[in-house]
Amino acid sequence: MPGELRVLGACPLDCPDTCSWVVTVRDGQAVSMRGNPDHPYTRGALCVKVNRYLEHSRAADRILYPMRRVGPKGSGRFERITWDEALEEISVRLRGIVEEHGGQAIWPYLGTGSLGYLQGCEGVAGRRFWNMLGASRHWLNICSTAGNSGLTLTNGTPGGMDPENFAQAKLILLWGTNPLTSGHHLWKFIQDARADGAHVVAIDPIRTRTADQADEHLAIRPGTDAALALGLLNVVLAEGAQDEEFLAAHTEGWESFREEILEYPVERVAEITGIPAEAVHRLGTRLARTRPTAIRATMGIQRHAGGGTALRTIAAIPGVTGDWRHPGGGVAYSTSGHAHLSIDTRDDLLPGPVRTLTMTRLGSELAEPDSVKCLWVYAANPAGSTSDGNAVRAGLAREDLFTVVVEQFPTDTVDYADIVLPATMQTEHFDLHAGYGHLYLLWNEPAASAPGECLSTTETFRRLAAHMGMTEPSLFDSDLELAEDLLSSGHPSLEGITVDRLRKEGWVRMNYPEPFTPFAEGFPTRSGRMRFPPRGKAYVPSRSSRTDGGLVLITPAPHTFLNTTFANNPELLRRAKDPVVLVHPADAAARGLSDGQRVRVRNAFGEFLADVEVSDRVAPGVVASPKGRWPKLSPGGANANAVVEERDADLGRGAVYHDNRVELIPCAGP
């Protein structure tokens, strides 16, 4: 109709599906959004969260103008200022910090609020600017690094099978993943496989929405996934079902790993994992006899002290069974290892070597006044999402810490800012995306004008560089120039993919065959072979794997929020209701707790409040409380991160959100 346009874009959020969407623009206004029906993975559907994206972009609490703090840190009291005033104050403070303390006293704290290669964390937005100042490096370890490290040790890359090929699997193991809540588009390919006779098993400490729909659910004890993998392989060996040809041609360290497997018989594994021995044996037998087997394991599985090793050992399964040689066989964790985009962060602009700061150690770093003098937060909400929330907020409250927050909404982190800069949302800027749950590149074209004085991340850094008198030409590259650079790596997977083509078509599959069997003929390791875990290194126990000392707390993704994004949306908050903690009937009875009773979920690091939901969806000894709530919108002013210790996983310095033991204390009063 006259005055109506269809603008193609992509979801920027921290989800493997990275949906292609279509925004209808009428008379210059974005009036509707839907999943792109032409995209092979999105297939016309968005999730319950992103369905409200346009509404969210127009919310009454959207930050529209630069602001300066006028109240105490944490009070959330600000006055509106101009962009020139904001840039001048920031410039003066940054120059002063560099002169007095050195550039490394600046910490650019970038999160997963956008996975864009232009505006977000995938392209390390703003890195050229920070290099000019000699700022500290930022290690984004909060999400997936333990698993990435484990998979890289085994396969040479975290990249694995194409999730679309799950449609060809005959056995599907959904291991520590809940796609019907976090990445529901995979389910369509699982349904295709089931229609062709596939058997689906959910391995999860919680009986999730996905587990309800699976053919079988194994309620594993948290942190024991590697032991289960070894037990299943023990049955494979007993069946004589190992693929000797694949092992000889494409693996190394097999004889040592074989001896390790033999040390994990079914009975021992049942004792470690809490899964009945007959169930372990039954699944092991099915694994031995079923080709192809597809394993889906996502980020929640590796957020404990042994998380990297868990993925390392699970990744070994298709090497033993030879599933990598079959379309529809293997492990899918993240496809990001197959996206060979060229990211020129211009590290040559650094004045010298700089340190790297780890995002999950924010609280302890800020506790050292001489360590960090400026915290620049963008695409992140550390006061609501980072380990040891109490320590983080104490650090943010430092009067000598100059904090700039680039944001769309008044998060808990914004409340502690000295300067707040208004940020565009996805429908208002250019971006380039590569999903970590499929093999497509997607282009995001702006469909609406930015409200108020909101600027994109790239434009914010261009203006700040100009205001500070910087003249390095690469600091002023346009978004389209940056996108051209990203596609210029020369990797065969990108041949023929240009910015012009992406802008016209909206999405393009990278040049990988269909079906895609990435390791059928070898692995991207130095030897070209899969590397099995060395003897004694295939299972690392964690606090959550113990059977004594309180309850293990799991904080799964909720159906209504994505990390802390959308956690201020009134309708999604209404659907989420008050925070709950799922407690097994036996644990509730032992503590005299009843349904709906408010409790303090407590350990040595802090506490948060939640209402008891007595449920057999969790096993005895395990409690679960969904993550993602803003502390200031939660009862008691804290969320589940108040009880998460700043502590590293075994590999990649990964976070340990699911490796915490707590007790439940009834709240006083009615």
Side-chain angles (χ1 to χ4, degrees):
M1 60 188 299
E4 185 167 289
L5 296 172
R6 293 172 71 253
V7 180
L8 300 179
C11 180
L13 301 177
D14 187 9
C15 167
D17 292 9
T18 311
C19 289
S20 173
W21 67 36
V22 183
V23 179
T24 299
V25 178
R26 188 176 302 138
D27 298 327
Q29 298 294 317
V31 296
S32 67
M33 172 188 287
R34 63 171 298 194
N36 189 345
D38 299 325
H39 190 274
Y41 203 77
T42 304
R43 293 188 182 183
L46 300 175
C47 68
V48 67
K49 301 172 275 285
V50 177
N51 273 329
R52 311 193 79 86
Y53 196 87
L54 281 183
E55 167 200 299
H56 199 54
S57 71
R58 298 169 182 142
D61 59 344
R62 178 88 186 265
I63 296 172
L64 301 177
Y65 305 99
M67 298 186 294
R68 178 194 292 122
R69 178 170 62 89
V70 295
K73 287 201 172 187
S75 67
R77 289 164 49 195
F78 298 95
E79 64 179 0
R80 178 179 169 181
I81 58 176
T82 67
W83 265 101
D84 279 345
E85 288 174 314
L87 294 175
E88 178 62 18
E89 184 163 340
I90 291 168
S91 298
V92 170
R93 295 293 297 269
L94 290 180
R95 287 194 194 99
I97 289 168
V98 171
E99 290 171 6
E100 185 175 354
H101 303 282
Q104 293 185 81
I106 301 169
W107 187 350
Y109 194 98
L110 173 60
T112 60
S114 168
L115 269 58
Y117 276 84
L118 300 180
Q119 313 296 345
C121 65
E122 290 290 4
V124 199
R127 177 78 162 265
R128 294 176 181 180
F129 174 83
W130 299 122
N131 284 344
M132 289 289 292
L133 294 178
S136 290
R137 290 282 178 83
H138 173 66
W139 177 230
L140 203 157
N141 68 320
I142 206 165
C143 184
S144 58
T145 56
N148 284 341
S149 298
L151 286 160
T152 300
L153 284 171
T154 297
N155 294 337
T157 174
M161 65 181 292
D162 179 355
E164 291 185 58
N165 294 157
F166 271 64
Q168 296 165 271
K170 295 300 182 185
L171 173 62
I172 295 174
L173 306 185
L174 300 175
W175 206 321
T177 188
N178 180 17
L180 286 178
T181 284
S182 302
H184 69 93
H185 294 84
L186 178 67
W187 196 253
K188 296 169 184 172
F189 300 97
I190 293 172
Q191 286 178 312
D192 291 342
R194 292 179 93 173
D196 201 28
H199 185 80
V200 179
V201 181
I203 303 169
D204 200 301
I206 307 169
R207 196 173 77 248
T208 62
R209 290 170 180 256
T210 299
D212 280 340
Q213 298 299 316
D215 298 302
E216 189 176 354
H217 171 224
L218 302 184
I220 191 170
R221 181 172 293 129
T224 65
D225 305 280
L228 177 59
L230 292 166
L232 297 177
L233 288 175
N234 187 287
V235 180
V236 169
L237 291 183
E239 291 273 319
Q242 66 271 24
D243 189 326
E244 296 287 2
E245 182 181 349
F246 190 87
L247 287 164
H250 299 302
T251 71
E252 60 183 56
W254 166 236
E255 287 305 320
S256 173
F257 186 54
R258 184 179 183 278
E259 293 302 313
E260 181 91 348
I261 292 169
L262 293 176
E263 294 179 7
Y264 286 84
V266 166
E267 292 74 16
R268 182 188 178 195
V269 169
E271 184 177 340
I272 294 171
T273 64
I275 300 171
E278 58 270 23
V280 176
H281 188 272
R282 183 172 63 248
L283 181 56
T285 302
R286 191 182 291 273
L287 172 65
R289 299 175 182 179
T290 310
R291 305 277 75 75
T293 290
I295 301 172
R296 177 63 162 170
T298 50
M299 288 65 205
I301 197 175
Q302 43 93 69
R303 291 183 180 140
H304 60 83
T309 297
L311 265 297
R312 184 181 190 181
T313 302
I314 289 170
I317 292 174
V320 177
T321 61
D323 271 295
W324 284 121
R325 70 163 78 228
H326 304 290
V331 175
Y333 176 71
S334 170
T335 56
S336 58
H338 300 308
H340 296 277
L341 296 169
S342 174
I343 305 172
D344 186 3
T345 55
R346 293 299 307 274
D347 291 350
D348 60 300
L349 299 176
L350 284 165
V354 296
R355 65 180 178 172
T356 297
L357 296 173
T358 307
M359 70 188 306
T360 51
R361 294 303 178 103
L362 179 61
S364 55
E365 287 291 346
L366 294 184
E368 301 291 334
D370 293 333
S371 177
V372 180
K373 294 296 184 180
C374 172
L375 185 71
W376 183 290
V377 180
Y378 52 132
N381 179 20
S385 60
T386 302
S387 308
D388 199 347
N390 291 328
V392 169
R393 288 197 281 183
L396 290 172
R398 277 175 40 202
E399 282 295 332
D400 67 324
L401 177 71
F402 179 56
T403 302
V404 178
V405 179
V406 184
E407 247 298 351
Q408 301 152 354
F409 294 98
T411 64
D412 291 80
T413 305
V414 164
D415 288 348
Y416 290 88
D418 294 288
I419 298 290
V420 180
L421 300 178
T424 48
M425 293 181 68
Q426 187 76 345
T427 48
E428 301 154 6
H429 56 226
F430 294 110
D431 216 336
L432 175 63
H433 290 265
Y436 65 90
H438 57 62
L439 295 175
Y440 300 91
L441 297 184
L442 301 95
W443 181 257
N444 185 78
E445 190 81 9
S449 299
E453 297 177 4
C454 297
L455 295 181
S456 68
T457 301
T458 48
E459 181 60 18
T460 296
F461 283 114
R462 284 190 286 261
R463 292 197 186 186
L464 182 55
H467 200 92
M468 294 187 70
M470 296 179 180
T471 57
E472 163 57 41
S474 67
L475 298 177
F476 305 99
D477 284 355
S478 70
D479 291 352
L480 297 182
E481 288 172 327
L482 291 169
E484 291 283 6
D485 285 346
L486 283 162
L487 296 171
S488 68
S489 70
H491 193 273
S493 66
L494 301 179
E495 185 177 351
I497 303 177
T498 64
V499 172
D500 285 345
R501 182 181 173 191
L502 281 168
R503 293 187 74 183
K504 179 181 178 181
E505 300 178 22
W507 55 270
V508 177
R509 181 181 167 94
M510 291 179 283
N511 298 315
Y512 291 108
E514 298 182 66
F516 181 42
T517 51
F519 310 134
E521 300 300 328
F523 294 80
T525 60
R526 184 174 299 179
S527 66
R529 292 170 174 264
M530 170 187 274
R531 300 173 294 211
F532 287 117
R535 188 74 179 272
K537 301 289 186 180
Y539 170 51
V540 175
S542 63
R543 289 183 184 176
S544 58
S545 63
R546 300 199 324 255
T547 57
D548 63 317
L551 301 164
V552 178
L553 173 67
I554 301 293
T555 54
H559 205 65
T560 45
F561 314 139
L562 204 162
N563 300 330
T564 63
T565 301
F566 302 113
N568 61 320
N569 182 278
E571 174 57 21
L572 294 175
L573 268 172
R574 185 190 67 79
R575 294 186 191 184
K577 302 179 182 178
D578 285 343
V580 299
V581 57
L582 274 65
V583 187
H584 189 272
D587 293 321
R591 291 160 175 80
L593 301 176
S594 58
D595 226 30
Q597 184 176 5
R598 180 150 292 181
V599 294
R600 301 181 185 276
V601 184
R602 176 186 291 176
N603 63 15
F605 302 97
E607 67 178 26
F608 67 98
L609 304 183
D611 296 335
V612 169
E613 183 177 322
V614 179
S615 173
D616 63 0
R617 287 188 173 275
V618 291
V622 177
V623 294
S625 188
K627 67 177 182 178
R629 290 184 178 267
W630 289 11
K632 66 181 179 180
L633 299 182
S634 303
N639 67 11
N641 290 331
V643 301
V644 178
E645 183 184 2
E646 282 193 345
R647 182 163 47 92
D648 294 342
D650 53 340
L651 299 173
R653 301 201 69 182
V656 293
Y657 289 101
H658 300 325
D659 199 13
N660 301 282
R661 305 188 80 86
V662 298
E663 260 307 337
L664 307 181
I665 312 299
C667 291

